[in-house]
Amino acid sequence: KRLFTPALRMIVCIPSGITEVEMRAVKESCERVNGKEVYLIHEPMAAAIGIGIDIMQPKGNMIVDIGGGTTEIAVIALGGIVCDKSVKIAGDVFTNDIVYYMRTQHNLFVGESTAEKIKIAIGAANEDLETPPDDMSVQGRDLLTGKPKQVEVSFREIAKALDKSIQRIEDAIMETLSQTPPELAADIYNTGIYLAGGGSMLRGLDRRISQKTDLPVYIAEDPLRAVVRGTGMALKNITKFKSILIK
């Protein structure tokens, strides 16, 4: 009802492997909801800011952001992404893996929300955990008789179900490391790999990646909101982060 509508300043996170067409689509949808100044920021960059890394330093840092739809892997130095890889394997694929495993191994049909609950309650990346979670009772529909039934599932089974997908994320990390310039690889050897995103909360994932890469792996505190927090910080200091934002 006002005479002047407030000019909205917006920052939107985008995956690092996004195409020009997709970028334009994001920008246009922001302009539809009255966004006057629209900036885009790459997800690994936002995650790095949210974790608390000083991205402007001439020092290499490696971020692995395992979200819902994509896993973003990037090596960041001097306020820019040096090499990156985006794979379409993340939380949603893990959930589908669990649904498929329950169907093939237990003849049990479970919904997506049940699979999500299983993933959060007893999801694991390897079969030997120091503090294993208790077995979980899962209810669903029996595929043979059509009756509701309940089975007990252990974290080892879930680790087995997720193994292939996690392996593909590991391969993508190794590929990114092999493309990293040698000076930055030396920095990463000292600083290690940072994990962000909801997928990094999978039990034992940090240890598994650490064994594969022989590097220390750290999970961000509150990994679920690392990207959002970083985006908020960039929005507050637009002048400081101007160089990394895409207008």
Side-chain angles (χ1 to χ4, degrees), residues 102 106 108 110 136-142 147-153:
M102 297 303 288
H106 293 286
L108 190 73
V110 294
M136 182 183 177
S137 305
V138 179
Q139 292 92 10
R141 192 179 82 222
D142 192 326
K147 296 175 194 164
K149 88 167 179 183
Q150 174 175 314
V151 293
E152 292 286 319
V153 183

Side-chain angles (χ1 to χ4, degrees), residues 166-223:
I166 294 170
Q167 219 165 340
R168 282 170 71 182
I169 290 175
E170 282 179 339
D171 292 344
I173 293 172
M174 296 306 282
E175 205 175 307
T176 313
L177 282 171
S178 68
Q179 292 166 358
T180 308
E183 283 76 20
L184 297 182
D187 290 338
I188 293 168
Y189 182 79
N190 295 324
T191 55
I193 297 172
Y194 297 96
L195 293 184
S200 61
M201 293 157 84
L202 207 60
R203 295 167 187 78
L205 184 63
D206 49 344
R207 229 175 80 210
R208 181 166 167 170
I209 293 173
S210 181
Q211 282 166 356
K212 176 89 175 174
T213 56
D214 292 331
L215 294 168
V217 175
Y218 309 104
I219 298 178
E221 51 182 280
D222 194 12

Side-chain angles (χ1 to χ4, degrees), residues 116-136:
E116 182 83 20
K117 277 183 197 144
I118 298 170
K119 183 174 72 179
I120 294 167
I122 57 168
N126 51 15
E127 293 186 29
D128 48 321
L129 294 179
E130 285 164 18
T131 50
D134 297 334
D135 288 3
M136 182 183 177

Side-chain angles (χ1 to χ4, degrees), residues 80-101:
I81 293 177
V82 183
C83 52
D84 65 323
K85 193 156 178 57
S86 180
V87 282
K88 284 196 163 64
I89 292 168
D92 296 345
V93 176
F94 293 162
T95 307
N96 292 337
D97 284 345
I98 293 171
V99 172
Y100 179 74
Y101 181 85

